[in-house]
Structures are given as C-alpha cells and as structure tokens.
Amino acid sequence: MADHEENEPENGGARRPVVTIHDVARHAGVSSMTVSRVMNGKRYVSEAMRQKVEASIRALHYSPNLTARSLSSAVRIGALYSNPSSSNLGAFLMGAFRQSGASGCQFLIEPGVTEAEAVEGLGRLIESGIGGVILPPPLCDSPAMLAMAQEAGVLPLAFATAKPREGVSAIVVDDYKGAYDMTWHLISLGHRAIGFIQGDPKHSPSQRREQGYRAAMVGAGIRIQDDWITPGLFTYRSGLDATRQLLAASRRPTAIFASNDDMAAAASAVAQGMGFKVPDDISIAGFDDSPIASTVWPELTTIRQPISAMAASAVVMLSNLVRQARNGGQPEISHVREMLTLVERGSTGPAPALT
Amino acid sequence: MADHEENEPENGGARRPVVTIHDVARHAGVSSMTVSRVMNGKRYVSEAMRQKVEASIRALHYSPNLTARSLSSAVRIGALYSNPSSSNLGAFLMGAFRQSGASGCQFLIEPGVTEAEAVEGLGRLIESGIGGVILPPPLCDSPAMLAMAQEAGVLPLAFATAKPREGVSAIVVDDYKGAYDMTWHLISLGHRAIGFIQGDPKHSPSQRREQGYRAAMVGAGIRIQDDWITPGLFTYRSGLDATRQLLAASRRPTAIFASNDDMAAAASAVAQGMGFKVPDDISIAGFDDSPIASTVWPELTTIRQPISAMAASAVVMLSNLVRQARNGGQPEISHVREMLTLVERGSTGPAPALT
DNA sequence: CTGAAAGCGCTAACAC
DNA sequence: GTGTTAGCGCTTTCAG
C-alpha cells in the first residue's frame, strides 16, 4: 500500500473523475446522441430509452460540461448593468449566470453606469458577437440603446420595465399591482390616513406605483389629502425630508408607504427619531425588497421583485429568441409578466386606536 | 434589390461576424498555432512574427473565444457564497465572473447560507469536477469545509480571511490596519473620546478590528474607558443598542467607530434621533463600504474592501494553482494581501469644541 | 522557432 | 427513433 505513489487517484487537486456524455452513453449502452437528446428534453426518444439513460445519468452523477455545450450551440448573450453598486446586482447576476449554464449559452456582462459607458459597453458586447442583450432599467427605456442593438442585429430584451413596447421582448413587472396590494394591506390593518412618498419621476415605475396607491385608496373610499403625498427621489435622503413633511400633515398619517426601500428606511429612522414606535404608533412600508429592507430594524414590510428568477427567465427567453432567429425564423416577441409578492415584516401593524 | 431575401448579412440577430484565430492566421499568413502563442505571450516566437501577428489581431479586432479556450484547457473552479442577499455579492460575482473569462476557466457558483447548504453546495461543485474552490468568510475559516475540499482533491482558496492558515492559499485582508487607520483618522480630526462597537465574536475579522482600534488609541496616548467599547453582532439592530449604551457613557464619545457599516448606519440613526447632528456633534465611522454606507445620510466614512478586484485575484490565483497541480507540480501556496482604503464621506468631521 | 494533427465535450445535421 | 459524422475555436503534443 503505497501512501505517496498513487498516481491517478491523487495528483494534487486536479483529478479527472469528470463524467462525460460518452461515459453515460457507454453505461447505458446507447450512443451519446441519445443521451444528449434526453438531457435536452427533446422529442423523438422512446420512453424505454429515456428511462434507461436517466438511470445511468443518476448512477454516474453526470452533469454536462457547460463550456462544451455553449461552444457547440454557440449562443452568446450579453447584459448591461447600470448600477454596479446596486444591491440587486448580486441577485441578478446569480440568476442570469446560473441559468446561462443550464440554457447552454455564454453570458457576458458589461457595466454601464452612465449613458456613455452603456454605449461603450454595448459596443464591446456587440464586438464579442452576442446575439441578444438584456437591458435593465433605465437602459431598457432608452430608445438610443434599443436602436443601437437592433442596428447591430442584436435582439434586445427589456428587463423589469414598467412600460414594455411593441417589438421588444420584455420581462414586465406590475408596479401598479404591487403598490395596490401594499396599500390594500395597510388599509386592511385599519389604516385610513396613509402617506405616500413618490419615486423619481424620471423612472418608469414611479407613476405606476403612485397610481396603484391612489387606486387602492379610492377603492376603499378614502379621500387622499393633498399633504399625504410628498415628492421623493428614490434616495434615502429624499425620504428623510419627505417623512418630516408627512408627519407635519394636518391629519398625521398612521402609515407611510414609500416608493422604495431606501426611502422607507429613512422614514423609519425619522419616525423613530421623533419618538414614534414602529409599528405601534406608525407603520412603514417599502418596495423592492432590497437588502436594506432586512437590515434596518424593524425590518421593512415590502414588495419583493424576484430579481433572480426574472434574470433567469430573461436568459431563457433571450437564448431561445436567438436560436429561433438563427434558424431563420422570425423571433417571437413576448412580454412575460413577473409576479410581485408582499413580504410582511416588522414595520407594519394594526393602526393605533383612535384617541 | 430584394429587401427581404438577403441571407447572410441580415438574418435577424444572429450574424456571425466573429473573428476567429484562423482568420487572424490567414490574415497574417501564419498558422493558427503561432497566433495562439502570441496571444498567450509564450516564448519561442520570433519578434518579427509577433509583430506581424499583433498587427493582424488589431486590424481584425480579434478577441479570443473564451468558451473554446476553457474547453481545451478545461480548468474549472467554483465558489461558494454564504450570503446571497449580501450587498457584496454583486461585486464579488462581477469580479470573479469577468476574470474567469479572461483567465480561460469555467466558473461555477453555488449558494451556501447555512453550514448544511454549504456542504451540499460544495458537494455539487465537487461533482461538477472543479479543481479548486473559493471560500469566502465564514466558510474560509471552517476546518470542515477545508477538509472536505482537500479530501476530494479540490484546492481551496480562503477569500478575505483575517487569519490565513498554512497550506491554504488565501486572499488576506488587513482588518487590523484598516481599523487602525480609521481610528487614527478620527484622532487626527481632534477626537479623543472614541467609542467602538465590536463585531460578531464568531467572525475572524472582529478581533483584528478591535485590536487595530486599541493600538491606535494607545499609540496616541489615549486611555480607553471601559464604557467606550460595546458588544455588537454586525447587525443593524445590535448597533442600535450599542449606540444607546455608548451615548450614555460617563464621558460621552464625540466619535463612534462601528465594526461594520450596518452598525454604523444604526449608530447614525440613533444619534440623529437623539438630536445630535452628524458630524457636527458626533462623528460616525463604519467598515466595509457596503452599499448601505452610501445610502444613508449623511453617507458614511468607511474602510473599503476592493471586493471585485479581490475576487478577480482569487480567480487568477486559483486557476493558476489548478493548472500547476494538473501539470504534476506541487501547487505553490501563497497569501495575497489586499489593500484597504479609507473612504472619507460626510459622517465624520472635526471634534466639537469643548464647552 | 514554427506548423500539422488531434482532440476538449457537446450538439446540429444528416443518415439509417 | 436512433446512430454516425462533423465540426464549434482553441490548445496540447509532437514533428519538423
């Protein structure tokens, strides 16, 4: 029993026990093509064969080499990311990246903070030979970007846009419904005086969120006082000012619904600073479920965007589109609507009893 | 002139204008092998040849297909990420992911929040045939993880650890120096009474940060009062309590240095809630430069970890190690120390004049 | 120093 | 339905 002379089994961290499609094929007694078909869920494989192959796959713990796969199928898609310090970037990359493996395509990313950088980044992506590109907000609403992509023969996909446009595939998010649901949640907790902090008017979701709030209030028969709606810019700082204004309203709100979590966190800080207990004296709600929502205390009740899942869908949609297009077909534009869910945490509670 | 019948030039988003190594070879009148050598900076290429090839590369805007490259060289490395909602995840993935392209290796990631998930994730990575794995804290300090990797013949790399260990490559971060620098910064602003909020005692950086703080204080000849140091858990909530305690100290600190940004944000909120102006009445400093630092107002003075660059280094180191190991060599363990930088923002200022 | 040949693991296209 | 044949773009190996 040599302790040191084993050669194949132990060569310092780079063994090659990797199971290939051929190993599976041999094990199952079929051709590698059949295994490939099974892996890709293609038709034209008999049930018996499929069972046998699947058994071998499990037995051997086979997992396909994604690199090889994307080399053969050669679908390459890119993404531009506008806010590298954004807390959502992690979820986005995680979703897109892992799905790109599963979908057998190569995924490239370029940062594009400013408009100029975005143009440059898209340029690099185009030179890398991508067939499609994922554009998150606010890039997804920029006609210039869309035009640039289309001119280069690259299929664009608008990610998390609030206003999808004809002719461009999109992952759409229902900001209206999210805001409606949150407002309704507050109402059902007994709140009537509900303050609202608006988002940056330049972003497409802002108006939709406000509309959702208004619709829910009207639906519940509550008249919205003018001083219950204050402007905001999606920044923490703007939330600070907005909240001070709100708390000075002629009839003070018992709940504040901010258009995003950063502003909601600010609202919570201001309210607590003024001696209010959250949620006993005042409820606070946010939107997005960004990390700050579960950082501050109490943690914020908010609306979650399933960024990771959305990114994965985007990759699936786009890679399919590119394949379609390559096979000469006309790409089928589609708009996928993603569900927003309300996450109830500690910052909201029953309206305080009237005194 | 058919408008619709063009076939090659415009086929709906999946053109193939991609320049390959062969195109370059043809253009330069050499074999593709020579181009490959030039691209990889190998020796054994005559200067004349190199010049010619480089000219062609530029002329054709050639950029190698990384997928093909990694298929040939077949280096696969993985990473486990412990905190999917972490604000650093984006930077980490961005750095690692992009570098993996440049380094010609395949990068896989698995989430591993709990210990159990981490084990499972590492298991999946091992089954995928990785040659090395990046372990961020706190996984990088877990003997169990390290053992599991090494048993499977996978080279581990400790990422951003504060206590590197012999025999395991690591990206090391100098928490001590970062804390020392920050404390010194506060002292140089005239502060003498500087409160400190400790980090989670279970994380390796916590002690180092406290040591750095103590050393700077001692170095400046300041006696640290017992009630200037309060326990914390790296959470916002723990920062809330710690700050209240600190502000009730027998001699109230004019500056608070929290072991991370979440707690510093809490400190800022509490201080402002009690009517103190930041930084006029009290300075607040954090550590990490996580997104919350530039979200809250005033923005936090903090210590930046260059996560993205560190992730890139990790990929370079690890892919080289795996290549070395595969070529039969003994992998060269190394510890790379990354620089932390102090980022001065609005939350710190001169000590208030004594009254 | 340079080139030709042989794959890496997988899938598209075509036979059977 | 299933197998065979060719590569994808690059690097490794081995001749010259």
Side-chain angles (χ1 to χ4, degrees), chain B residues 229-249:
Chain B
I229 297 192
T230 52
L233 255 20
F234 279 147
T235 64
Y236 185 92
R237 184 166 189 188
S238 68
L240 255 23
D241 296 334
T243 307
R244 286 194 200 100
Q245 251 178 272
L246 240 25
L247 293 179

Side-chain angles (χ1 to χ4, degrees), chain A residues 123-134:
Chain A
R124 269 194 299 271
L125 288 175
I126 290 171
E127 271 192 6
S128 305
I130 55 166
V133 64
I134 300 176

Side-chain angles (χ1 to χ4, degrees), chain B residues 292-316:
Chain B
I292 199 173
S294 35
T295 297
V296 296
W297 189 87
E299 297 185 8
L300 300 172
T301 293
T302 187
I303 297 289
R304 167 178 301 157
Q305 305 208 35
I307 298 286
S308 196
M310 285 162 60
S313 307
V315 168
V316 171

Side-chain angles (χ1 to χ4, degrees), chain B:
Chain B
M1 294 283 207
D3 258 52
H4 275 282
E5 296 297 355
E6 296 168 309
N7 225 333
E8 278 301 79
E10 200 270 285
N11 64 1
R15 309 126 338 115
R16 249 187 97 284
V18 189
V19 186
T20 77
I21 199 171
H22 302 291
D23 299 324
V24 177
R26 203 173 316 120
H27 182 106
V30 298
S31 84
S32 52
M33 222 17 253
T34 306
V35 180
S36 173
R37 289 199 182 94
V38 171
M39 284 304 294
N40 295 289
K42 289 266 177 66
R43 292 173 302 278
Y44 309 126
V45 190
S46 70
E47 198 43 39
M49 200 107 266
R50 159 164 279 122
Q51 303 267 329
K52 205 163 50 172
V53 172
E54 275 170 352
S56 297
I57 289 175
R58 270 192 302 277
L60 268 49
H61 293 295
Y62 170 63
S63 99
N65 181 328
L66 305 166
T67 306
R69 166 136 61 182
S70 39
L71 178 55
S72 304
S73 44
V75 168
R76 234 180 286 185
I77 66 183
L80 234 35
Y81 209 81
S82 50
N83 188 354
S85 71
S86 155
S87 26
N88 286 144
L89 178 57
F92 178 83
L93 286 178
M94 196 82 159
F97 182 43
R98 303 193 72 203
Q99 182 58 245
S100 72
S103 290
C105 64
Q106 188 175 359
F107 178 74
L108 307 174
I109 185 147
E110 286 285 341
V113 185
T114 65
E115 179 85 23
E117 281 173 344
V119 168
E120 207 183 309
L122 183 51
R124 268 193 301 270
L125 288 175
I126 290 171
E127 275 190 3
S128 305
I130 56 166
V133 65
I134 299 176
L135 263 15
L139 269 26
C140 59
D141 299 319
S142 150
M145 278 287 144
L146 259 22
M148 182 173 173
Q150 274 161 335
E151 227 160 81
V154 166
L155 263 18
L157 173 71
F159 183 81
T161 181
K163 46 172 187 193
R165 55 184 71 202
E166 296 259 336
V168 176
S169 286
I171 302 281
V172 187
V173 130
D174 199 342
D175 288 285
Y176 175 91
K177 180 165 184 305
Y180 184 97
D181 289 351
M182 179 59 86
T183 310
W184 187 251
H185 173 243
L186 260 11
I187 293 170
S188 69
L189 282 169
H191 296 278
R192 313 293 293 172
I194 303 174
F196 182 81
I197 305 179
Q198 298 171 318
D200 184 337
K202 288 203 298 289
H203 284 53
S204 66
S206 296
Q207 317 152 35
R208 294 276 200 269
R209 293 181 188 178
E210 180 172 344
Q211 288 163 2
Y213 157 79
R214 285 181 182 275
M217 293 292 271
V218 169
I222 306 174
R223 199 185 63 76
I224 302 173
Q225 289 192 16
D226 287 347
D227 53 6
W228 285 352
I229 297 192
T230 52
L233 255 20
F234 279 147
T235 64
Y236 185 92
R237 184 166 189 188
S238 68
L240 255 23
D241 296 334
T243 307
R244 286 194 200 100
Q245 251 178 272
L246 240 25
L247 293 179
S250 56
R251 182 173 158 216
R252 186 173 51 71
T254 61
I256 294 178
F257 176 20
S259 290
N260 78 348
D261 290 333
D262 285 3
M263 296 192 299
S268 179
V270 168
Q272 293 186 73
M274 291 173 65
F276 295 103
K277 292 251 170 297
V278 176
D280 298 344
D281 301 327
I282 188 165
S283 286
I284 309 278
F287 206 109
D288 285 346
D289 196 23
S290 54
I292 199 173
S294 35
T295 297
V296 296
W297 189 87
E299 297 185 8
L300 300 172
T301 293
T302 187
I303 297 289
R304 167 178 301 157
Q305 305 208 35
I307 298 286
S308 196
M310 285 162 60
S313 307
V315 168
V316 171
M317 280 175 70
L318 199 49
S319 60
N320 286 338
L321 280 178
V322 173
R323 287 206 175 84
Q324 261 173 259
R326 171 162 20 165
N327 297 338
Q330 197 55 22
E332 253 180 55
I333 304 305
S334 62
H335 293 171
V336 172
R337 175 159 250 111
E338 282 286 338
M339 288 309 293
L340 261 24
T341 53
L342 195 154
V343 183
E344 193 171 358
R345 298 212 183 89
S347 68
T348 53
L354 302 141
T355 16

Side-chain angles (χ1 to χ4, degrees), chain A residues 172-224:
Chain A
V172 188
V173 130
D174 199 342
D175 289 286
Y176 174 90
K177 180 163 185 303
Y180 185 96
D181 289 351
M182 179 59 84
T183 309
W184 187 252
H185 173 242
L186 261 10
I187 292 171
S188 69
L189 282 169
H191 296 276
R192 313 294 292 173
I194 302 174
F196 182 81
I197 306 179
Q198 297 171 318
D200 184 337
K202 288 203 298 289
H203 284 52
S204 65
S206 295
Q207 317 151 34
R208 295 275 200 271
R209 293 180 188 178
E210 181 172 344
Q211 289 163 3
Y213 158 78
R214 286 182 182 274
M217 293 292 271
V218 169
I222 304 173
R223 201 185 61 78
I224 301 172

